[in-house]
Amino acid sequence: MLDKPRTFFAIHRFESKPFADSAGNLEVMAPMLQSGLLGPSDGVDFGWTEALSAELVAGAVQEHRAVYGLTPVVVYGAGAHTTQYWPAISQLNVVAIADKNPALWGGMLKGLPVIRPADIPQYAAHVLISSRAFESNIARELAASLPQVQLLKLYAGRLEQQLQAWADQLSARVLAFQPDLLVHTPTHVTENLPAAFFLMLKQQLPQLKIVTVWWDYDEENSTAGYLDYEREVLSYADLVIENSNASRLTRMHNNEHPYQQHVNPKRVIFHPTWFDPSLFYPIPLAYRDIDIAVFGSRVGERGDWIDLLAKEFGERFQHIGGVSGEQRNPLPIEQYAALLRRTKIVVNTQTYSFRQQCKGKVREAIQCGVLLMEQDNTETRHLLPDGCGVVYFRTPSELISQIRVYLSDQSSYEKNLQAAVNLFAGQSIVKNWTDTILRLLDSTDD
């Protein structure tokens, strides 16, 4: 095992979270430092802020309005980005909203029809792309499928400038610190530092080992950037942590579709991250005054489950927090962890039916000793089989009946609660996670 390596953390934040609340800090940096297995450490956190995003969107919209006036425009994207920045976007003459999700077609958003991308020319000759993370990918898709429409962008050119600024800042700090280990927590795939940057660091620092954590994936869309980014990471990373989806690694390791072009796929392991144990820990049942809660943004299919629980349980149910969308309510991490500890039952659902993940909220709830009711999926079961403090459901009626049982049967509730507490052994899981990383790095090829 690497002996007390000098460790540098490159923490790329999502725009909705400050460093203290970021996944890179809570799931990676803080637990690894608390393990006691690292030597001297340093780090840099970087990323967009909500204020910068809002400024860029508002400025870009005004530029487009000055050029196109009240020309009809279709907005591409019926998700959180559109609802969050609607006050600015609506300054254009928006006549419809397009989205690739068939479940949304025929519905309404902001009083406008949600349409198929193929139907855009029936409404307007101009399309505003409402996405920062995937703007360039969407632009390529639309240019190929609808060459007759004019594409309007919000972030074009600004991403490249910001990436260079981050790279300059990071390289200066890393080269000055001379680490043995660099731990990188990336964010949206199209906003990440390129492979050439990390290869330069390894050329300058021959002893350097690099660990990258993958938060997300997309096996369905070859143009969304995920697969390309994974291949880039494998060109320089000595170890990659996939923390949400175990089943795909078998296909990746065997170079099966869509991973035929992944080089060194055995460097990727499934190893769920755990959270800062000084914030996420259980408290006695007597202090839990929130009966049922869903934590997180009202996005995708989660909104339907929130409405169901609110209707069935009224004031006994609470929808708490959320970092994106029109109704977002981001909470400071201390407040979020405290609310989680006070909750008896947490309901967690998948955001979209076409993607299964063992989400961070699963591990946060287990660490806090909460009874977790999880929408059944293969990835969470890989980590938490039946009897480990989690109750799985498939249908609305099954969820409602299970909640009623556990709220009325104290002994069954406490049995499951104890299973959750037993699963998370406090510092030992955090230490074992770091120990695994250091041992695997010893076995990687130079």
Side-chain angles (χ1 to χ4, degrees):
M1 183 176 77
L2 287 178
D3 185 25
K4 299 280 186 176
R6 290 175 63 85
T7 304
F8 193 97
F9 294 91
I11 306 298
H12 195 157
R13 306 182 313 272
F14 289 88
E15 72 278 4
S16 57
K17 292 288 188 177
F19 168 71
D21 293 4
S22 68
N25 175 46
L26 295 171
E27 297 183 51
V28 179
M29 183 174 175
M32 289 187 73
L33 291 176
Q34 290 180 38
S35 73
L37 297 176
L38 304 181
S41 65
D42 195 4
V44 167
D45 67 284
F46 56 97
W48 293 95
T49 64
E50 284 195 331
L52 177 57
S53 293
E55 179 183 339
L56 291 177
V57 170
V61 166
Q62 289 308 311
E63 290 175 6
H64 292 317
R65 183 180 171 89
V67 174
Y68 299 105
L70 295 178
T71 299
V73 173
V74 170
V75 169
Y76 187 99
H81 187 278
T82 295
T83 57
Q84 183 169 336
Y85 296 108
W86 184 250
I89 292 172
S90 62
Q91 298 302 305
L92 299 172
N93 182 20
V94 182
V95 296
I97 299 173
D99 199 278
K100 68 178 182 179
N101 185 356
L104 302 178
W105 298 343
M108 301 290 286
L109 180 64
K110 297 298 181 183
L112 298 168
V114 180
I115 64 173
R116 301 184 308 160
D119 293 338
I120 289 173
Q122 300 177 26
Y123 288 82
H126 295 77
V127 178
L128 178 77
I129 301 174
S130 178
S131 172
R132 192 183 74 248
F134 303 111
E135 183 179 75
S136 59
N137 302 101
I138 294 170
R140 284 196 295 271
E141 291 178 0
L142 291 178
S145 61
L146 298 172
Q148 71 271 39
V149 302
Q150 175 76 36
L151 302 180
L152 312 183
K153 300 179 181 179
L154 296 172
Y155 300 96
R158 297 173 176 89
L159 290 177
E160 292 79 4
Q161 296 173 9
Q162 191 60 65
L163 281 173
Q164 187 59 54
W166 292 334
D168 293 343
Q169 173 195 22
L170 187 56
S171 62
R173 290 284 296 273
V174 172
L175 294 175
F177 185 68
Q178 299 278 305
D180 306 305
L181 173 62
L182 173 69
V183 180
H184 176 223
T185 63
T187 177
H188 301 300
V189 292
T190 55
E191 298 177 11
N192 280 311
L193 300 168
F197 170 78
F198 293 96
L199 291 171
M200 176 275 293
L201 290 180
K202 297 194 84 168
Q203 184 177 25
Q204 296 288 321
L205 304 170
Q207 84 283 4
L208 183 65
K209 299 281 190 178
I210 297 179
V211 173
T212 300
V213 180
W214 284 344
W215 306 115
D216 215 340
Y217 71 100
D218 189 342
E219 294 183 313
E220 305 300 325
N221 190 343
S222 61
T223 64
Y226 284 96
L227 295 170
D228 287 338
Y229 179 66
E230 289 177 0
R231 286 188 281 268
E232 279 201 20
V233 172
L234 288 170
S235 71
Y236 63 79
D238 298 279
L239 181 67
V240 178
I241 308 296
E242 159 60 71
N243 79 335
S244 68
N245 186 289
S247 62
R248 76 184 184 114
L249 291 197
T250 300
R251 298 189 299 280
M252 188 184 298
H253 290 168
N254 292 333
N255 288 118
E256 298 174 11
H257 179 78
Y259 304 108
Q260 301 94 316
Q261 299 178 44
H262 279 47
V263 178
N264 301 317
K266 292 296 179 65
R267 292 183 182 178
V268 187
I269 66 167
F270 174 72
H271 205 314
T273 51
W274 294 92
F275 291 79
D276 183 349
S278 68
L279 290 170
F280 295 90
Y281 56 86
I283 64 173
L285 180 60
Y287 297 100
R288 298 174 187 252
D289 57 348
I290 300 172
D291 286 335
I292 315 149
V294 168
F295 289 83
S297 304
R298 183 189 175 93
V299 294
E301 297 167 11
R302 189 183 294 144
D304 295 333
W305 293 102
I306 291 171
D307 292 341
L308 170 71
L309 293 166
K311 179 180 178 181
E312 290 290 331
F313 295 101
E315 294 182 355
R316 301 189 75 180
F317 167 73
Q318 293 189 35
H319 172 217
I320 301 173
V323 298
S324 61
E326 187 177 24
Q327 301 176 25
R328 69 193 187 283
N329 179 30
L331 302 174
I333 193 61
E334 294 86 356
Q335 183 179 350
Y336 165 59
L339 288 167
L340 191 57
R341 292 193 299 270
R342 288 169 48 195
T343 304
K344 296 176 183 176
I345 295 175
V346 165
V347 177
N348 185 55
T349 72
Q350 297 296 302
T351 308
Y352 301 106
S353 57
F354 59 81
R355 179 182 298 168
Q356 292 188 356
Q357 295 174 284
C358 180
K359 292 181 176 291
K361 285 189 287 294
V362 168
R363 284 138 20 226
E364 291 166 337
I366 292 298
Q367 279 190 227
C368 288
V370 174
L371 177 57
L372 173 69
M373 293 201 172
E374 171 80 347
Q375 187 177 10
D376 202 359
N377 73 88
T378 302
E379 305 315 320
T380 303
R381 280 189 179 274
H382 185 89
L383 177 67
L384 299 171
D386 288 320
C388 290
V390 59
V391 177
Y392 291 97
F393 66 91
R394 293 180 178 83
T395 65
S397 59
E398 189 175 12
L399 171 61
I400 298 303
S401 63
Q402 287 173 341
I403 290 176
R404 295 193 187 284
V405 166
Y406 283 99
L407 286 180
S408 61
D409 186 345
Q410 185 85 356
S411 62
S412 295
Y413 179 90
E414 291 180 349
K415 180 180 178 181
N416 275 274
L417 180 65
Q418 191 58 50
V421 173
N422 292 342
L423 178 71
F424 180 71
Q427 181 71 11
S428 63
I429 284 184
V430 170
K431 187 170 184 177
N432 290 341
W433 196 84
T434 307
D435 179 82
T436 297
I437 291 173
L438 299 183
R439 289 185 184 281
L440 287 172
L441 285 173
D442 266 346
S443 65
T444 59
D445 295 329
D446 294 330

